[in-house]
Amino acid sequence: AQKITQTQPGMFVQEKEAVTLDCTYDTSDQSYGLFWYKQPSSGEMIFLIYQGSYDEQNATEGRYSLNFQKARKSANLVISASQLGDSAMYFCAMREGRSGGSNYKLTFGKGTLLTVNP
Amino acid sequence: NAGVMQNPRHLVRRRGQEARLRCSPMKGHSHVYWYRQLPEEGLKFMVYLQKENIIDESGMPKERFSAEFPKEGPSILRIQQVVRGDSAAYFCASSQFDLSSTDTQYFGPGTRLTVL
């Protein structure tokens, strides 16, 4: 079974609108971390936001927020007020096990290609 | 305030040659990870290293691939006798590993290896 599922291969959004990128995960661990990374066409991987499994509040970083629904095992990324520069691939990733523990591998989804239209 | 540095950014090799990919972690980070990204795919874990130690190489092919992170100098991912299937983007990440951190891995720009 896929550990990270991103069901949207591609998404389109109008500039200045909000967009939600879906991510569901599968783990039996009680402690885990969820990450979102952005990969623009230039190819680098840029860290956007982190959510720990025990964090009670949804993570926010500027225009990025993570809609964390633990019971549904979903960690959707919400980008508010989209900008042309947001056009990129977006990857959801999970680290199973607690921070600082013996688990460290990130498992990535296949990504969602976001296109922001002017 | 350099982030994770990788070089070269692009590497072209003929089948049978060796490829050496270098990674310098962020300042203050002592943990290095290598991932491979095939076209149209997400990243796949290869190996995790600390200084002078390979902690986990479970994602690395058993033959032709090796990695090191010496006491001095960058981490090296070495691919011997490259084949066309090795063509991919290779990313290095580093993290600051302690109980108070989120262990966020910060990635370098990647090395795009093309095997002719």
Side-chain angles (χ1 to χ4, degrees):
Chain A
Q2 295 276 348
K3 292 213 170 194
I4 295 285
T5 303
Q6 295 182 253
T7 56
Q8 307 152 315
M11 286 284 284
F12 292 88
V13 65
Q14 287 298 124
E15 196 178 4
K16 299 180 186 175
E17 291 186 351
V19 63
T20 297
L21 306 183
D22 294 342
C23 173
T24 57
Y25 59 91
D26 182 25
T27 181
S28 56
D29 282 354
Q30 294 301 309
S31 179
Y32 50 88
L34 296 156
F35 301 80
W36 277 91
Y37 288 86
K38 172 184 177 181
Q39 187 177 44
S41 57
S42 50
E44 68 269 34
M45 292 287 289
I46 302 167
F47 166 69
L48 295 178
I49 196 165
Y50 165 82
Q51 180 83 41
S53 58
Y54 291 118
D55 294 341
E56 294 185 352
Q57 295 203 333
N58 287 342
T60 60
E61 288 285 350
R63 293 186 300 110
Y64 303 109
S65 60
L66 202 151
N67 183 2
F68 181 46
Q69 297 188 42
K70 196 169 180 177
R72 298 179 61 184
K73 292 190 175 178
S74 75
N76 299 339
L77 177 70
V78 180
I79 305 175
S80 62
S82 298
Q83 301 173 354
L84 295 178
D86 294 335
S87 293
M89 280 290 284
Y90 288 81
F91 290 97
C92 180
M94 175 173 63
R95 183 204 59 240
E96 294 179 276
R98 66 176 178 85
S99 171
S102 60
N103 295 294
Y104 35 74
K105 297 177 200 179
L106 291 181
T107 302
F108 284 82
K110 293 196 172 184
T112 295
L113 179 61
L114 176 66
T115 302
V116 180
N117 293 316
Chain B
N1 185 21
V4 179
M5 299 178 69
Q6 288 187 251
N7 66 81
R9 294 291 304 275
H10 300 274
L11 183 61
V12 179
R13 286 287 178 266
R14 296 191 180 279
R15 280 180 295 169
Q17 290 184 321
E18 179 180 287
R20 279 186 178 237
L21 288 61
R22 293 175 185 77
C23 168
S24 296
M26 283 179 73
K27 188 175 180 180
H29 288 188
S30 57
H31 302 260
V32 166
Y33 315 80
W34 286 93
Y35 292 81
R36 178 164 66 175
Q37 184 180 30
L38 295 172
E40 312 298 323
E41 295 283 332
L43 278 66
K44 297 279 197 298
F45 169 81
M46 299 181 73
V47 62
Y48 163 43
L49 309 105
Q50 296 176 23
K51 284 283 188 183
E52 300 184 281
N53 280 307
I54 298 174
I55 307 302
D56 180 355
E57 56 184 346
S58 60
M60 207 147 68
K62 295 282 187 281
E63 297 178 354
R64 302 187 298 106
F65 285 72
S66 63
E68 63 177 9
F69 189 16
K71 188 176 180 182
E72 301 290 337
S75 175
I76 306 283
L77 179 66
R78 182 181 178 207
I79 311 172
Q80 295 179 288
Q81 299 173 332
V82 296
V83 301
R84 288 216 174 107
D86 296 334
S87 295
Y90 292 84
F91 286 91
C92 170
S94 71
S95 73
Q96 185 179 33
F97 197 74
D98 62 64
L99 290 174
S100 64
S101 78
T102 63
D103 287 345
T104 297
Q105 294 179 22
Y106 294 91
F107 284 79
T111 293
R112 271 114 190 116
L113 173 65
T114 302
V115 179
L116 301 176

